[in-house]
Amino acid sequence: MKTQRIDLYTGGFNIRIILNPTQEREIHDSWINQSLSNDIKKHYSAFLTNKKLSKIDFTIHLFQHFPSIFTRKTKDANLGLLHFFKLHRYKILSFQHISINQFNLILLTALQTLASRSDGFLLHTSASIVNNSLFLFCAKSEGGKSTAMKLLHPRFQAFSDDILIVRKIGEKYYGFQSPVREKNDWIKKTQQHYLVGRIFFLRKAKFYRTTKIKDLTRIITLLSAQLLTFDPHTKPPTKNAFAFIQRHNHFYSLSFNKGNKLVTLMGKRVKN
């Protein structure tokens, strides 16, 4: 079997996936290769690119290889650990027997690595497109991120449900969709990016109110809690986030409930 290449353009980065043929005679069937290859093409169809790439930002090598299991002794048992992937600076080595969900983690790790080295970061947030920029809605798990985004749709088009890639381009910050499927998978996936506009930290209440946050320490605390990292050995890019906070001046607290007044409130914010 020949080497297969799949190129993705996501987060403003060019990522090449290389599915390498087996060197082991015991593996005769190509189902392992084709299964993951087909899943990648299906799940990331909006981010596939056939353009001739002048620069590859990150490479993911997938090998046809029998699983490697390592053992570790604990006080209670012997653990069997499956070798998942190995991260180098701009390269990941993994295997073709993994599932698409495991590959999602590999791809997010690659994007986290690229964003953190490009003055960016990954943010746990939902987002809506408002006047060609993004309104972001941040909260703890079950804190209303998806609810706010869905209440505003379709007047304000839903852009992200869970993960946003934030990158500095020139002197401004832009938001890109995560390529992985999110909880609300009806959101249209696109390579398009938008200027990051207002950022709202949510609070469920019986009333509607937005208040601008001016306390820098509070902003740092709130935003830092939303930073994502998928490599347990990598610290969240707080330095990049702090630089973003210093340049951005649109942080708000938002109290709301599930009524339709949120659309009216956001409409007023667009005008102000």
Side-chain angles (χ1 to χ4, degrees):
M1 180 174 292
K2 296 181 179 179
T3 299
Q4 183 181 3
R5 291 184 175 86
I6 302 173
D7 291 333
L8 302 179
Y9 179 75
T10 174
F13 301 109
N14 293 318
I15 298 178
R16 172 160 289 173
I17 304 160
I18 302 177
L19 294 97
N20 297 279
T22 181
Q23 300 297 321
E24 300 181 21
R25 293 183 180 180
E26 293 87 347
I27 302 178
H28 297 289
D29 297 328
S30 63
W31 72 269
I32 296 177
N33 177 287
Q34 290 303 318
S35 175
L36 185 57
S37 171
N38 292 337
D39 284 345
I40 289 172
K41 292 176 182 177
K42 177 181 178 182
H43 281 70
Y44 308 122
S45 59
F47 303 93
L48 296 174
T49 178
N50 294 317
K51 295 180 180 179
K52 186 176 180 179
L53 304 180
S54 58
K55 178 187 177 185
I56 306 296
D57 298 301
F58 202 98
T59 306
I60 300 172
H61 289 272
L62 301 172
F63 296 93
Q64 277 191 351
H65 195 285
F66 288 121
S68 299
I69 300 176
F70 301 88
T71 59
R72 177 180 295 175
K73 291 184 178 181
T74 66
K75 292 182 179 179
D76 301 320
N78 291 331
L79 303 179
L81 305 177
L82 185 65
H83 182 196
F84 184 13
F85 70 87
K86 183 182 291 185
L87 172 64
H88 296 269
R89 183 168 175 80
Y90 291 107
K91 178 172 65 176
I92 284 178
L93 308 180
S94 189
F95 307 97
Q96 293 175 32
H97 60 253
I98 64 174
S99 69
I100 191 63
N101 290 329
Q102 290 171 310
F103 183 82
N104 284 344
L105 180 59
I106 288 175
L107 184 56
L108 288 172
T109 300
L111 287 167
Q112 171 200 319
T113 301
L114 290 167
S116 63
R117 294 172 181 170
S118 304
D119 298 321
F121 49 90
L122 271 60
L123 198 62
H124 187 208
T125 184
S126 67
S128 300
I129 303 172
V130 181
N131 278 9
N132 213 36
S133 67
L134 296 178
F135 277 18
L136 277 53
F137 303 100
C138 300
K140 297 179 181 179
S141 181
E142 304 299 325
K145 296 185 301 296
S146 296
T147 301
M149 175 268 296
K150 287 189 286 187
L151 285 172
L152 294 176
H153 189 83
R155 178 175 175 184
F156 301 116
Q157 183 181 338
F159 185 73
S160 173
D161 180 40
D162 194 46
I163 301 171
L164 190 73
I165 304 165
V166 179
R167 287 193 60 191
K168 184 182 178 185
I169 301 177
E171 296 300 317
K172 298 181 179 181
Y173 286 86
Y174 294 85
F176 296 77
Q177 284 182 336
S178 160
V180 304
R181 285 186 176 178
E182 299 178 297
K183 183 169 59 177
N184 288 289
D185 59 3
W186 49 267
I187 299 174
K188 183 180 179 181
K189 290 292 187 179
T190 175
Q191 298 179 9
Q192 182 67 41
H193 59 278
Y194 294 89
L195 185 70
V196 175
R198 303 188 182 202
I199 299 177
F200 298 90
F201 297 99
L202 303 182
R203 178 170 170 260
K204 291 182 179 179
K206 295 182 179 180
F207 55 89
Y208 294 85
R209 183 171 63 203
T210 61
T211 306
K212 189 166 186 176
I213 304 174
K214 299 180 181 180
D215 186 339
L216 181 61
T217 301
R218 185 184 174 200
I219 293 172
I220 293 172
T221 300
L222 290 170
L223 193 69
S224 296
Q226 304 303 127
L227 295 177
L228 291 173
T229 179
F230 296 93
D231 179 3
H233 302 292
T234 302
K235 294 181 180 179
T238 51
K239 182 179 179 181
N240 294 353
F242 184 68
F244 167 74
I245 291 170
Q246 288 181 311
R247 289 179 173 271
H248 203 73
N249 190 32
H250 303 288
F251 298 96
Y252 298 83
S253 65
L254 170 59
S255 302
F256 80 107
N257 60 36
K258 293 185 178 181
N260 57 12
K261 291 182 180 179
L262 183 61
V263 176
T264 304
L265 185 62
M266 289 297 104
K268 291 179 180 179
R269 278 295 173 190
V270 171
K271 296 176 182 179
N272 295 336

